[in-house]
Amino acid sequence: MASETAGGTTLEVLRRLESGPRGLTEARAASRLAACGENTLPDRRTPPWHRRCIRALRDPFTAVLLCLGLVSAAVASWGTAVVILALVAVSCALRAGGEHRADRSLTALRELVAGTATVLRRPGPDEPPEPREVPVAELVPGDVLRLGPGDLVPADVRLLRARGLTVHQGALTGESAPVAKRAGDEDDPDERRLCFQGSTVAAGGATAVVVATGAATRFAAAHRTPAAPREGGAFDRSVHGISWVLIRFMLLTPPLVLMANATLRDRGLETLPFAVAVAVGLTPEMLPVIVTTCLARGTARLARAHAVIVKRLPALHDLGAVDVLCVDKTGTLTQDRPVVARALDAAGRDDPEVLRWAAVGAWWTLQLAELPAPDALDEALLEAGGPVGEEYDGVDAVPFDPERRWAAAVVRGDLGRHTVVVTGAAEAVLERCATAPGERDRLLALAARQADAGLRVLAVATADRPAGDRGARTADPRGLDFQGLVTFRDALAPTAAEALRELAGRGVTVKVLTGDHPATAARACRDLGLDPGDVRTAAHLPDGPGGATVVARCTPQDKARLVTALRAAGHTVGFLGDGVNDVAALRAADVGIAPRSAVGVARESADVVLADKDLTAIGHAVTAGRHASGNIASYLRVTLSSNLGNVVAMLAAGLLLPFLPMLPAQVLAQNLCFDAAQLAFAHDRPGAAALRGPAVLRPRSFLRFAVGFGMLNALADLATFAVLALALHGPDAAVDDEAVFHSAWFTENLLTQAVVMLLLRTGRGGGPGRVPGPVGLAAAGLAAVGVLLPPSPLGSALGMTALPAVYCLLPAVVLGLYALALAAVRARHRPVSRR
């Protein structure tokens, strides 16, 4: 590791690396490259196709289908077995294909950490060093680098010389403000002598020696951190819950059918195919296909319209279920730059003259300083101050230094006078001002109040001196006149305020987990219209954030701990992060979200990759997730209630009739027709009610819904059975005409299921609503099959026959009454997919 290799004095480090201030020779660098390998991070290997398909078999519903298919094959029900196993194969192929496309899209979005670096290399041992650009991958320990403003640090380095060096290392530590670095041999508990791979030079320059590359860097150590064993996301938990209930019913149904028929009707093994068919009818066979199709279509639309890549298909549903979104402040709610908030005089009143003098000092410091690299505050002053400074002639300048904490510029005034302009930290500037007793404490208190309000503070002082006075050119000006303070706030992200309102309107609570000062984070939230409430620090929240909106002073471990606590409290949590410090939280969340510009390890730990770090894109992704979840929920409501009602009716009829209420082949044909029609749900458009709140597939709610509406369906089936018996002038006539009974019940079942498809879906406006195109056409097709199949040649092959007119009229009356009852009950029932 870099901290171990870079310990000791500068001379000891260079000796340990067998290098020197003049860098390595070309021959030595080439031999080390061969020995140490390239300065690259290990790439994530994507699993091959066969492993993706095997992994898809671990899906509970797919496993249930596979078991049913094997059972059907074991009892020689080959038609059922072929259909079910074909569904398993299609589901696995769709899921594997969706993950493959997501990985391929993510690979296309990868960006290199840096292209080249400036190093000192010597052609031979006795020749002088020559600065040259080399690919970052060819850097080796012992190389001497030159770093300047805007450079990305390509490896872990120890500073040899530094001048006004500050770096952004938020990707590693979460700090939004630049961190001052310095060279030297004194004790360095804060590692100020080291710069790490992934950091960016904000200002200043340095010469440094590479101490670690490739897998030995701190950046790579985070990349190697094993993924925390994340419990299943919201989708996985819901699917497991529903699956295990269905598995219990599936295992219980065949023995009950066999025992009841053997006891009451003296029918035993001959009812085994019927029992298996009933178990198949209870299971939503098309769920893997519906789920995969809905999620794949949603991810494709997101990628095409908003450049949002969903790497793991179930993560799209989890996005729709998110009710808490955790974000950092910098780069998400705010831009990574300050803007001027106010300019105050010594009395705390607004004074544009203070801003003018600060802008003059910034302009001439940049023009005359040896390293003309504007920092963020300089740029903000020049932007707010406008075209100032050019009306003067610059004489001298002293650039800002992190140790000194002030900068100075000298400009030529009128009649042989010079003006010294000093800007910097309030304490450093006031030390150089001539102030009355007690005045300095009052001005420091004024600066402290501004800082407590979440603003950055820059003090401004001037002095008018004769041109020949040495004090006008000094590097340590004294006796200054205090002019005032310029305060800065973080520039707000352009779309953040609107995105926060939209997320709140969709029932998503945003929590800000930041490493910044509490006042700074609170100020940004207030500026965006987000009530920060009681801002807490992570150290004071050992059991989770609770109701706190803003949690400041968060370490990477704190972020992961808070996310885990939110999940334990029953929330579905999304986390947006882009640095190495966010990796643990990304893996702890139900949905990890990272922008394309994030460091590689964060992108690979995330489930969703955004084109930009923009909350608006997350809003689009949440909507797409709820869209897909709404369609899945509609399918589950329809298929579970309809299947349960049919199974109950078949079991009851099987005990009341001396013959099977429907032949196994007819049960299979009915299931196939119903399943094919329900594919339309993958292309449906749920209404606005399905998009207003988090969409969660809650097993208990679905089961309550299925039992309630399933019993209503079963009553309609049993009423149809009674009507059929009366239409044939009594039970004895009914039992004498099995083919007519089977045909009538087959038709009635498909018509009932068509009505259920229309009335139990999530309609537009939150109610049954208008009939949508795909579902309406599918329901009409299902009804047509129910009417036309029995008298067709295929119907004859399945043991059915044409129905007399009386069998069309009386069941139609029952069907109409059932539709009215279903609509009335549905209007009073709240959707089960809401929290």
Side-chain angles (χ1 to χ4, degrees):
M1 295 295 294
S3 56
E4 299 173 358
T5 308
T9 66
T10 302
L11 183 58
E12 289 172 345
V13 170
L14 291 174
R15 286 177 176 174
R16 193 179 304 130
L17 295 170
E18 298 181 3
S19 181
R22 299 194 304 160
L24 301 174
T25 63
E26 295 287 359
R28 177 64 64 85
S31 65
R32 288 194 180 179
L33 182 62
C36 300
E38 292 189 341
N39 179 35
T40 57
L41 295 176
D43 196 9
R44 182 172 68 92
R45 296 183 179 180
T46 56
W49 271 94
H50 69 277
R51 289 191 179 179
R52 292 181 189 271
C53 292
I54 293 174
R55 189 168 57 188
L57 288 175
R58 294 184 296 184
D59 176 81
F61 277 118
T62 307
V64 169
L65 281 180
L66 182 61
C67 293
L68 286 174
L70 296 177
V71 171
S72 300
V75 299
S77 182
W78 301 112
T80 304
V82 169
V83 172
I84 294 177
L85 294 177
L87 290 175
V88 171
V90 169
S91 175
C92 291
L94 285 174
R95 178 161 294 189
E99 291 181 355
H100 174 70
R101 286 191 297 273
D103 282 342
R104 188 173 56 188
S105 300
L106 184 66
T107 300
L109 290 176
R110 294 181 188 274
E111 296 178 345
L112 295 176
V113 174
T116 62
T118 303
V119 302
L120 296 179
R121 292 273 179 88
R122 291 176 290 152
D126 299 326
E127 299 186 46
E130 299 175 358
R132 52 172 297 191
E133 296 289 321
V134 301
V136 166
E138 297 181 7
L139 290 178
V140 296
D143 265 328
V144 175
L145 301 177
R146 287 181 176 175
L147 299 173
D151 285 349
L152 200 63
V153 180
D156 289 353
V157 299
R158 164 73 179 264
L159 298 176
L160 302 178
R161 292 183 297 276
R163 188 168 196 178
L165 181 67
T166 58
V167 300
H168 289 287
Q169 57 183 30
L172 289 162
T173 64
E175 299 168 280
S176 62
V179 177
K181 298 288 184 176
R182 61 177 181 269
D185 293 336
E186 67 276 7
D187 291 338
D188 184 24
D190 297 328
E191 297 183 326
R192 294 297 177 93
R193 299 173 299 183
L194 301 178
C195 293
F196 301 104
Q197 184 182 39
S199 303
T200 306
V201 177
T207 301
V209 61
V210 175
V211 295
T213 61
T217 63
R218 184 168 296 188
F219 190 86
H223 192 283
R224 289 195 306 271
T225 302
R230 179 197 294 177
E231 298 177 2
F235 181 78
D236 295 325
R237 294 194 298 268
S238 301
V239 166
H240 277 78
I242 296 174
S243 296
W244 280 111
V245 173
L246 291 177
I247 289 173
R248 294 185 184 100
F249 273 109
M250 182 198 71
L251 295 177
L252 185 62
T253 300
L256 285 178
V257 174
L258 292 175
M259 288 188 296
N261 279 273
T263 302
L264 300 178
R265 295 295 179 183
D266 198 23
R267 295 191 300 254
L269 292 178
E270 63 267 25
T271 62
L272 181 58
F274 174 72
V276 172
V278 170
V280 172
L282 183 63
T283 305
E285 301 97 332
M286 294 300 294
L287 184 60
V289 177
I290 295 288
V291 166
T292 304
T293 304
C294 287
L295 298 181
R297 281 172 53 83
T299 57
R301 285 196 299 267
L302 274 177
R304 183 173 58 252
H306 305 292
V308 176
I309 304 300
V310 179
K311 297 165 55 182
R312 183 175 59 87
L313 287 182
L316 183 64
H317 163 78
D318 292 348
L319 276 169
V322 162
D323 64 327
V324 175
L325 177 65
C326 298
V327 302
D328 195 0
K329 176 183 71 69
T330 305
T332 304
L333 303 181
T334 63
Q335 302 180 59
D336 196 10
R337 64 181 184 88
V339 294
V340 171
R342 298 178 67 186
L344 307 174
D345 62 13
R349 298 184 296 264
D350 290 323
D351 186 352
E353 188 70 8
V354 177
L355 175 61
R356 187 182 74 84
W357 277 119
V360 169
W363 171 264
W364 283 109
T365 300
L366 295 176
Q367 298 300 316
L368 300 176
E370 183 178 347
L371 296 173
D375 65 12
L377 296 185
D378 288 334
E379 293 176 342
L381 287 171
L382 294 176
E383 181 180 351
V388 298
E390 297 184 26
E391 67 272 25
Y392 297 99
D393 291 329
V395 177
D396 195 7
V398 177
F400 181 83
D401 183 87
E403 299 288 338
R404 189 174 55 238
R405 300 200 302 161
W406 57 265
V410 181
V411 296
R412 184 174 290 111
D414 296 330
L415 301 175
R417 308 289 292 181
H418 287 172
T419 302
V420 181
V421 183
V422 177
T423 58
E427 297 87 347
V429 172
L430 283 170
E431 285 180 358
R432 288 159 175 76
C433 292
T435 57
E439 180 69 3
R440 182 173 180 271
D441 292 337
R442 186 187 68 81
L443 294 175
L444 287 175
L446 174 64
R449 287 195 297 273
Q450 302 302 313
D452 291 341
L455 299 172
R456 297 172 67 178
V457 180
L458 185 75
V460 183
T462 62
D464 189 38
R465 306 279 173 80
D469 188 348
R470 292 185 59 190
R473 294 173 179 262
T474 182
D476 187 17
R478 297 283 177 175
L480 304 175
D481 297 323
F482 185 79
Q483 296 294 325
L485 303 173
V486 179
T487 61
F488 302 82
R489 59 174 175 81
D490 290 326
L492 304 179
T495 61
E498 181 181 357
L500 287 173
R501 288 193 296 270
E502 291 181 356
L503 288 171
R506 289 180 169 87
V508 178
T509 301
V510 175
K511 291 187 180 292
V512 181
L513 310 182
T514 178
D516 280 347
H517 189 278
T520 304
R523 178 68 184 230
C525 291
R526 283 193 294 269
D527 290 343
L528 289 168
L530 179 65
D531 183 9
D534 183 15
V535 180
R536 308 292 297 276
T537 59
H540 293 91
L541 293 171
D543 300 324
T549 299
V550 179
V551 183
R553 302 297 192 194
C554 284
T555 66
Q557 294 75 20
D558 289 329
K559 292 181 180 180
R561 176 177 58 81
L562 295 174
V563 168
T564 302
L566 286 168
R567 292 187 67 202
H571 296 285
T572 303
V573 183
F575 183 86
L576 173 62
D578 60 356
V580 175
N581 60 305
D582 294 323
V583 169
L586 287 169
R587 290 170 172 166
D590 288 285
V591 187
I593 308 168
R596 180 177 58 183
S597 58
V599 298
V601 64
R603 284 201 309 268
E604 301 214 4
S605 299
D607 302 303
V608 179
V609 178
L610 311 176
D612 299 298
K613 197 174 182 181
D614 185 0
L615 289 178
T616 303
I618 297 180
H620 293 311
V622 167
T623 299
R626 293 181 182 177
H627 189 151
S629 299
N631 288 342
I632 295 171
S634 293
Y635 167 78
L636 281 173
R637 282 197 294 269
V638 169
T639 194
L640 291 180
S641 58
S642 180
N643 287 356
L644 181 60
N646 286 339
V647 166
V648 171
M650 285 185 182
L651 293 177
L655 298 178
L656 296 174
L657 293 174
F659 57 85
L660 293 177
M662 194 174 290
L663 299 178
Q666 295 165 355
V667 175
L668 175 62
Q670 176 184 286
N671 287 339
L672 286 176
C673 294
F674 190 32
D675 290 341
Q678 290 181 104
L679 285 173
F681 284 114
H683 303 271
D684 195 15
R685 291 187 63 84
L691 306 178
R692 280 197 288 264
V696 182
L697 305 179
R698 303 173 66 185
R700 291 185 178 179
S701 296
F702 272 108
L703 293 175
R704 286 196 297 268
F705 187 99
V707 169
F709 285 91
M711 291 302 100
L712 186 61
N713 188 307
L715 289 176
D717 286 344
L718 293 175
T720 301
F721 164 65
V723 167
L724 293 176
L726 292 174
L728 290 176
H729 310 291
D732 292 338
V735 299
D736 291 336
D737 197 347
E738 297 182 18
V740 173
F741 187 92
H742 292 160
S743 302
W745 206 353
F746 180 89
T747 298
E748 188 271 343
N749 276 339
L750 289 189
L751 291 176
T752 301
Q753 289 167 337
V755 171
V756 169
M757 285 182 63
L758 296 178
L759 297 183
L760 293 191
R761 66 176 289 271
T762 302
R764 301 182 192 279
R770 296 183 298 166
V771 175
V775 174
L777 292 175
L782 185 63
V785 170
V787 173
L788 300 177
L789 183 61
S792 69
L794 180 58
S796 299
L798 293 172
M800 292 185 288
T801 185
L803 297 175
V806 67
Y807 281 91
C808 298
L809 179 60
L810 293 179
V813 174
V814 175
L815 184 66
L817 294 175
Y818 169 69
L820 291 176
L822 186 65
V825 176
R826 175 67 179 88
R828 298 171 59 87
H829 194 279
R830 297 179 64 184
V832 299
S833 61
R834 302 272 68 83
R835 283 191 180 275

